[in-house]
Amino acid sequence: MALNKCLLLLRPRASGPCSVALRPSSFAIQRSLLAASSSRSTSSGSNGPFRAPDTSLFVPLEVKPAQGSDVNIGAELTQVLTKSNILTLLNKFYKRKEMQRLAAENGLDARLFHQAFVSFRKYVMESDSLSVDLHVILSDICCGAGHVDDLFPFFMRHAKQIFPMLDCMDDLRKISDLRLPPNWYPEARAIQRKIVFHAGPTNSGKTYHAIQRYLAAKSGVYCGPLKLLAHEIYQKTNDAGVPCDLVTGEELVFVDPEGRPANHAACTIEMCSVMTPYEVAVVDEVQMIKDPARGWAWTRALLGLCAEEIHVCGEAAAINLVTELMFTTGEEVEVRSYERLTPITVLDYALESLDNLRPGDCIVCFNKNDIYSVSRQIEARGIECAVIYGSLPPGTKLAQAKKFNDPDDPCKILVATDAIGMGLNLSIKRIIFNSLVKPSINEKGEKEIDTITTSQALQISGRAGRFSSVFKEGEVTTMHRDDLVLLKEILNRPIEPSKTVGLHPTSEQIEMFAYHLPDASLSNLIDIFVSLSQVDGLYFVCNVDDFKFLADMIQHIPLNLRSRYVFCTAPINKKQPFVCTSLLKFARQFSRNEPVTFDWLRRHTNWPLVPPKNIKDLVHLEAVHDVLDLYLWLSYRFMDMFPDANLVREIQKELDGIIQIGVHNITKLIRASETSAGLGAVAEDKDLPAHRTNGRTVNVEDLPTADLNASKPLSPRRRGSKVLGYRSVEPDHTKGPLATKLMQQGLLTEEMLNQLQREWLKNQIRNGSITGGNKRDHSDPKGNRKKK
């Protein structure tokens, strides 16, 4: 039987994709057995392999000295204590190595021992009257009838008052034990599910085949990573004559006029129900299960969906990981492999100049300022272009995509970020990478800038020459000639298999933590939870920095824990001050039990709004759209306190139209921004953004609020986008004081500096210093990428 679990059962190929039933490797079996054994040994007693908690997270509570007592019973029973004698005894106690060792055995390391002693000393010295037992002990020690070590029980009693977690550490460890996530979903464990993995590159038809099974089922749910994808499946399902509801974080749309749930639903992955039974579930883009921030949602869906069949779509690199994950639930994985439907070619030449653009070209940039710069230069040549980037509303993205796809529209060039990687159907002939470096957030929440991974490069390149577009063959190249070698190297690398999946503490777990630590802040509770959490080698705890940011921001507002938790999970961009301020005001209104009405929101956003006159206005409108999204998200969870969702949805559609006007005229907005900043002519080809491997390009949303709202010209000393009158933050080794001085003296030009940067990057690639960033995963904490 054990041998059978390690076999691959090959099924005969029928018409369509190749099918393989995968069972876990012997390594997976050994690891699971080891984890189960470890769990049993750990839960059996306090001597299990628990890691030591991070005591720097333990925030001491204040214990006020006893004041105002008219009768000092201890003094009446013994004697009045002299403060100087007490201080001598306490200091002697602190210096005793035996006491420090005994404290360590009771959970007080050197740091906590010192903090507890300082608090204990302050309490004893400043109290008008001590408890009778403590007073008697101190008196006995002063008289020579006791030993200073007799203070230890009283010291520990005080230590547990200021560090309440010491008294319940075993309970906290049990609550934060995350080693058996399959047990969190008993409804899913009660049925034997069939898991089908549709594996293949972009444009291979894998999602299409999964959706066909979904449409044929009596009931089904589609779980996708984006609202756009959920909307697309919602629309296609209803167009196919199958009633389907839409469930996203901001809206719940019932196709039935009386509000009865349909048998089919299309939802974003975070919103899928693990309680509703389905015949078929589709989990799309499963490779995102390793995402440092959102991976937990895919883990929850795979482990918790109550569906007879679960059809998983994604990269082949995730097959082994999903197989191992399903082994922990006792379920096998059938793999169906697909090949790309249309060919794609990596060209042997770079674009080099925007004069060489052709209809169907898409220039991919990795920051918004490069989008502005490139689009401005394209339209300066009399060529119209569409623009798509991540912070645009979904309606604006779809409008720009429609404009680009329309054969009768003169717009035949697209400038976009990697937001086109999924969720949009685009008729692209050629993908052109403007750069191959991209800012990212690693599993520790640190911002890094590195070359794009093979997975990212393939995802973006795969948008060219799609089967459903007018171009049946795709092409890929770069803007700069030196980048082409690196691009080919990245695309030719095998995708590193995924090895770990994400988890996130639930509200119930945090509530249990709060029961034991009622005085701790939510941010501190999360920190302690993550510090104590135990996971086996298959899992990692997702990054919680955004959650903690919001928790700290609203900490001063009186909210119950469940409501506070919900506010902290709001999907907002913390770089947008207006959105953060809005969340703060929403929470304050909520705490006062005052509904956030449509009129209140209109005043807050200064509605009605007008089309933007410059880039600053456009950025603000995008932020207002996000605030309306936030209102709708909260209305889904607190209907009584955010009662005007329908009215807000109407003005959001109107705002989407206003933003579309702004994006359609984006080059005029850029020109207006240049004029207001006192800039000269627009940059030419030689000023196209070069590689910034050890620096970063400053995005508009990264700029301080004061700068965005200032009416005076921006200071030329500030660094940022060329389009907005800023210079980009360059690495010290290429543009430090010496480089700046040489440029000022005319001995070094911007073009020469860019060339030096490209040569430096090329040497780094040749020497192996830059690896593309795809070699690291959550199980390899000693990766070689440097934090920037």
Side-chain angles (χ1 to χ4, degrees):
M1 193 69 180
L3 180 61
N4 289 336
K5 287 187 178 292
C6 301
L7 294 178
L8 296 180
L9 302 181
L10 298 180
R11 299 188 177 183
R13 179 166 184 170
S15 58
C18 171
S19 297
V20 180
L22 285 190
R23 299 182 186 222
S25 63
S26 57
F27 171 74
I29 297 172
Q30 293 171 9
R31 184 165 69 178
S32 297
L33 292 175
L34 184 61
S37 173
S38 172
S39 176
R40 286 193 295 271
S41 64
T42 301
S43 60
S44 63
S46 59
N47 295 325
F50 285 127
R51 62 177 175 177
D54 182 0
T55 58
S56 65
L57 303 174
F58 293 0
V59 179
L61 302 178
E62 183 180 0
V63 177
K64 294 182 179 180
Q67 303 290 341
S69 177
D70 295 331
V71 180
N72 190 337
I73 299 176
E76 292 182 358
L77 293 175
T78 57
Q79 61 179 342
V80 177
L81 298 174
T82 304
K83 295 293 184 181
S84 60
N85 292 340
I86 294 176
L87 183 59
T88 301
L89 293 177
L90 292 176
N91 289 337
K92 184 178 180 181
F93 170 85
Y94 177 72
K95 295 177 181 178
R96 294 270 297 166
K97 297 296 183 183
E98 292 81 357
M99 294 300 95
Q100 296 177 22
R101 185 164 54 250
L102 192 57
E105 293 175 1
N106 285 269
L108 291 174
D109 60 12
R111 178 181 174 278
L112 296 187
F113 178 77
H114 176 74
Q115 286 184 294
F117 173 75
V118 171
S119 177
F120 180 60
R121 182 178 61 188
K122 179 181 179 182
Y123 173 81
V124 172
M125 297 299 294
E126 296 182 4
S127 293
D128 291 342
S129 61
L130 299 172
S131 61
V132 176
D133 51 355
L134 178 57
H135 189 107
V136 171
I137 287 296
L138 286 170
S139 177
D140 288 348
I141 298 173
C142 289
C143 296
H147 194 275
V148 71
D149 290 0
D150 296 338
L151 287 175
F152 185 78
F154 302 95
F155 167 75
M156 280 304 303
R157 182 173 68 185
H158 183 87
K160 290 180 179 179
Q161 283 183 281
I162 68 170
F163 295 119
M165 61 283 297
L166 295 175
D167 225 7
C168 54
M169 192 60 69
D170 287 343
D171 289 336
L172 296 179
R173 282 194 172 110
K174 289 176 183 178
I175 295 169
S176 58
D177 191 338
L178 307 179
R179 285 173 295 181
L180 294 173
N183 294 348
W184 302 351
Y185 309 101
E187 292 82 6
R189 301 292 76 76
I191 59 177
Q192 186 66 27
R193 307 178 305 173
K194 177 182 179 181
I195 314 296
V196 181
F197 195 122
H198 299 265
T202 57
N203 196 30
S204 60
K206 55 184 184 297
T207 305
Y208 169 82
H209 285 89
I211 292 298
Q212 294 308 301
R213 179 66 187 95
Y214 157 85
L215 293 173
K218 295 178 182 178
S219 62
V221 61
Y222 168 84
C223 309
L226 301 173
K227 286 185 288 185
L228 279 175
L229 285 170
H231 273 274
E232 180 183 345
I233 300 302
Y234 161 75
Q235 194 67 47
K236 285 183 176 180
T237 306
N238 284 297
D239 289 346
V242 179
C244 176
D245 296 333
L246 175 66
V247 184
T248 69
E250 293 75 27
E251 59 184 327
L252 173 59
V253 180
F254 291 110
V255 67
D256 183 83
E258 297 182 5
R260 288 189 294 264
N263 291 332
H264 286 70
C267 66
T268 46
I269 189 79
E270 287 87 353
M271 298 301 297
C272 69
S273 170
V274 294
M275 303 299 292
T276 307
Y278 297 102
E279 181 182 347
V280 171
V282 176
V283 178
D284 207 358
E285 304 293 351
V286 73
Q287 69 273 4
M288 291 187 70
I289 199 169
K290 65 178 181 179
D291 185 81
R294 297 180 65 199
W296 63 268
W298 278 263
T299 305
R300 173 178 172 270
L302 285 181
L303 295 178
L305 281 170
C306 296
E308 298 172 24
E309 294 181 25
I310 297 182
H311 290 256
V312 181
C313 306
E315 296 175 352
I319 292 175
N320 290 339
L321 181 58
V322 172
T323 303
E324 289 193 40
L325 186 63
M326 292 299 97
F327 172 68
T328 65
T329 67
E331 295 160 334
E332 297 178 5
V333 178
E334 175 189 337
V335 177
R336 299 179 184 175
S337 299
Y338 302 81
E339 299 295 332
R340 183 177 168 87
L341 298 174
T342 56
I344 188 167
T345 305
V346 181
L347 301 178
D348 292 327
Y349 55 89
L351 188 71
E352 297 194 271
S353 170
L354 294 177
D355 294 327
N356 297 326
L357 287 172
R358 301 195 304 255
D361 280 350
C362 172
I363 301 178
V364 176
C365 307
F366 291 112
N367 68 74
K368 197 187 293 185
N369 287 347
D370 285 354
I371 290 280
Y372 296 153
S373 176
V374 172
S375 59
R376 174 73 171 88
Q377 294 173 56
I378 290 173
E379 298 212 8
R381 289 165 165 76
I383 304 172
E384 189 174 354
C385 66
V387 175
I388 296 176
Y389 50 86
S391 59
L392 287 178
T396 304
K397 291 177 185 174
L398 290 173
Q400 290 290 297
K402 182 178 179 181
K403 176 183 176 69
F404 174 71
N405 291 339
D406 187 354
D408 298 324
D409 195 293
C411 174
K412 290 292 174 284
I413 305 296
L414 176 63
V415 182
T417 64
D418 53 340
I420 65 166
M422 59 180 73
L424 290 170
N425 293 316
L426 298 162
S427 294
I428 298 173
K429 170 65 174 177
R430 181 170 59 170
I431 289 285
I432 302 160
F433 285 93
N434 185 58
S435 172
L436 295 176
V437 293
K438 176 186 177 182
S440 62
I441 303 296
N442 66 17
E443 62 271 21
K444 296 180 181 179
E446 301 164 337
K447 189 168 184 179
E448 297 179 336
I449 294 187
D450 209 340
T451 52
I452 59 175
T453 66
T454 299
S455 178
Q456 291 168 336
L458 289 172
Q459 184 82 25
I460 298 168
S461 300
R463 309 310 290 181
R466 291 183 65 82
F467 182 74
S468 57
S469 75
V470 297
F471 302 109
K472 300 308 178 186
E473 295 184 6
E475 298 174 345
V476 183
T477 188
T478 60
M479 176 65 72
H480 302 286
R481 187 186 309 172
D482 293 339
D483 282 343
L484 197 53
V485 176
L486 176 58
L487 176 63
K488 291 181 178 180
E489 181 186 333
I490 292 173
L491 292 174
N492 287 330
R493 294 186 192 128
I495 300 178
E496 286 292 313
S498 307
K499 296 180 180 179
T500 51
V501 302
L503 293 174
H504 194 281
T506 65
S507 58
E508 291 79 10
Q509 290 168 326
I510 299 304
E511 280 183 340
M512 287 191 284
F513 246 57
Y515 173 80
H516 291 287
L517 305 174
D519 297 312
S521 68
L522 180 55
S523 178
N524 192 225
L525 285 176
I526 288 287
D527 273 335
I528 297 174
F529 185 99
V530 174
S531 171
L532 294 177
S533 62
Q534 298 284 311
V535 295
D536 74 10
L538 190 59
Y539 302 94
F540 69 93
V541 179
C542 284
N543 184 274
V544 293
D545 283 353
D546 286 352
F547 184 99
K548 287 171 51 186
F549 172 83
L550 297 183
D552 289 333
M553 188 175 72
I554 65 172
Q555 179 58 37
H556 66 285
I557 299 176
L559 295 168
N560 63 60
L561 184 67
R562 179 58 68 95
S563 299
R564 188 180 300 278
Y565 184 94
V566 172
F567 272 93
C568 293
T569 56
I572 70 171
N573 183 353
K574 64 183 182 183
K575 295 178 182 178
Q576 295 180 324
F578 183 69
V579 181
C580 293
T581 301
S582 300
L583 178 67
L584 195 62
K585 291 184 177 181
F586 288 167
R588 189 175 291 118
Q589 284 280 105
F590 185 94
S591 70
R592 296 169 180 163
N593 203 29
E594 298 176 2
V596 182
T597 63
F598 179 65
D599 289 337
W600 184 95
L601 189 63
R602 281 167 58 98
R603 291 193 300 272
H604 174 64
T605 58
N606 294 319
W607 188 268
L609 299 170
V610 297
K613 297 179 181 178
N614 49 46
I615 290 296
K616 182 190 73 173
D617 291 347
L618 179 60
V619 171
H620 178 68
L621 291 180
E622 292 169 4
V624 173
H625 191 280
D626 286 349
V627 169
L628 301 184
D629 253 352
L630 174 62
Y631 183 99
L632 295 173
W633 189 89
L634 290 168
S635 73
Y636 187 84
R637 290 147 182 84
F638 305 112
M639 296 182 184
D640 294 339
M641 300 303 294
F642 298 85
D644 297 327
N646 291 333
L647 294 174
V648 171
R649 197 167 280 113
E650 288 178 7
I651 66 169
Q652 191 182 45
K653 291 179 181 177
E654 188 176 339
L655 177 58
D656 201 331
I658 296 173
I659 293 175
Q660 288 182 36
I661 295 173
V663 174
H664 179 73
N665 298 316
I666 195 165
T667 54
K668 295 179 181 178
L669 304 186
I670 296 169
R671 196 179 305 120
S673 297
E674 292 172 349
T675 302
S676 64
L679 298 182
V682 71
E684 296 298 330
D685 282 351
K686 64 185 178 66
D687 292 322
L688 280 170
H691 301 290
R692 299 174 177 89
T693 52
N694 286 344
R696 65 185 182 91
T697 301
V698 179
N699 289 329
V700 173
E701 59 267 30
D702 290 333
L703 300 177
T705 309
D707 287 344
L708 287 176
N709 297 326
S711 57
K712 63 183 180 179
L714 299 172
S715 169
R717 293 185 180 181
R718 295 293 304 273
R719 296 182 178 184
S721 169
K722 297 184 178 89
V723 175
L724 296 178
Y726 288 80
R727 293 178 181 269
S728 45
V729 178
E730 300 291 347
D732 292 339
H733 62 272
T734 60
K735 200 168 183 180
L738 178 60
T740 304
K741 186 176 181 180
L742 291 174
M743 291 180 67
Q744 291 174 346
Q745 295 175 353
L747 300 176
L748 183 66
T749 66
E750 185 78 22
E751 185 177 6
M752 293 166 64
L753 184 63
N754 291 341
Q755 179 62 30
L756 288 172
Q757 284 182 279
R758 287 194 284 271
E759 291 177 2
W760 178 86
L761 177 66
K762 192 173 182 180
N763 290 333
Q764 292 292 98
I765 297 165
R766 186 180 299 113
N767 296 333
S769 300
I770 297 178
T771 63
N774 64 329
K775 302 260 184 196
R776 291 206 324 171
D777 53 61
H778 298 288
S779 63
D780 179 20
K782 297 181 180 180
N784 294 321
R785 287 188 294 177
K786 295 182 180 179
K787 174 184 172 186
K788 307 302 175 192

